[in-house]
Amino acid sequence: MTNLDEEINGIIQDAKLDYTDLWSIIVSANDASDADPRLSRMERTFALLRQLLARGFRAVDLAEGGKCVPWPDQSPNAIIRRIEAEWRRIGLDEEPWVGAIFWFDLPKSRR
């Protein structure tokens, strides 16, 4: 079992090859050996997401041709509000679905 720092490093390594989906972040945040049991799954996910955003990840929409379009507002609070609203709308039991509709990019300059 890996700890949160190892999970973050794995996400960063994967981001060198492709976009990162929210599902990967949900799994990493909640399967880490040092995941905070006092937090909900969503809270742990958003705590990890904040760390990734601080390291340069951007929320994006996928586009044709393997490209992506960054969201206009890249502030962590705006990103999390948008994801949380959709996550709650879809339902807390539908993590894999919500995890598949949100994507993040780590620009080459940040790798």
Side-chain angles (χ1 to χ4, degrees):
M1 187 175 245
T2 56
N3 66 32
L4 202 48
D5 286 336
E6 292 167 328
E7 293 287 346
I8 290 169
N9 288 333
I11 291 170
I12 290 170
Q13 289 306 310
D14 290 347
K16 291 178 181 179
L17 303 173
D18 204 355
Y19 302 113
T20 302
D21 63 1
L22 183 62
W23 180 242
S24 298
I25 297 168
I26 291 170
V27 170
S28 292
N30 289 284
D31 287 354
S33 60
D34 54 349
D36 189 341
R38 297 169 296 177
L39 300 177
S40 70
R41 289 181 63 79
M42 186 184 286
E43 290 168 330
R44 286 191 293 268
T45 299
F46 291 150
L48 175 53
L49 179 55
R50 283 184 185 282
Q51 289 185 50
L52 295 173
L53 295 171
R55 292 175 184 240
F57 279 79
R58 302 179 303 176
V60 298
D61 291 317
L62 300 183
E64 289 187 30
K67 300 188 187 230
C68 69
V69 178
W71 293 3
D73 189 344
Q74 289 291 319
S75 71
N77 288 339
I79 291 167
I80 289 170
R81 273 193 310 271
R82 181 172 168 179
I83 294 169
E84 182 177 8
E86 187 66 10
W87 196 339
R88 290 188 186 283
R89 188 190 71 74
I90 291 172
L92 296 176
D93 294 335
E94 298 297 327
E95 284 179 357
W97 174 246
V98 77
I101 60 175
F102 292 105
W103 293 85
F104 302 89
D105 178 44
L106 183 60
K108 289 181 182 176
S109 63
R110 300 297 213 132
R111 297 179 190 168

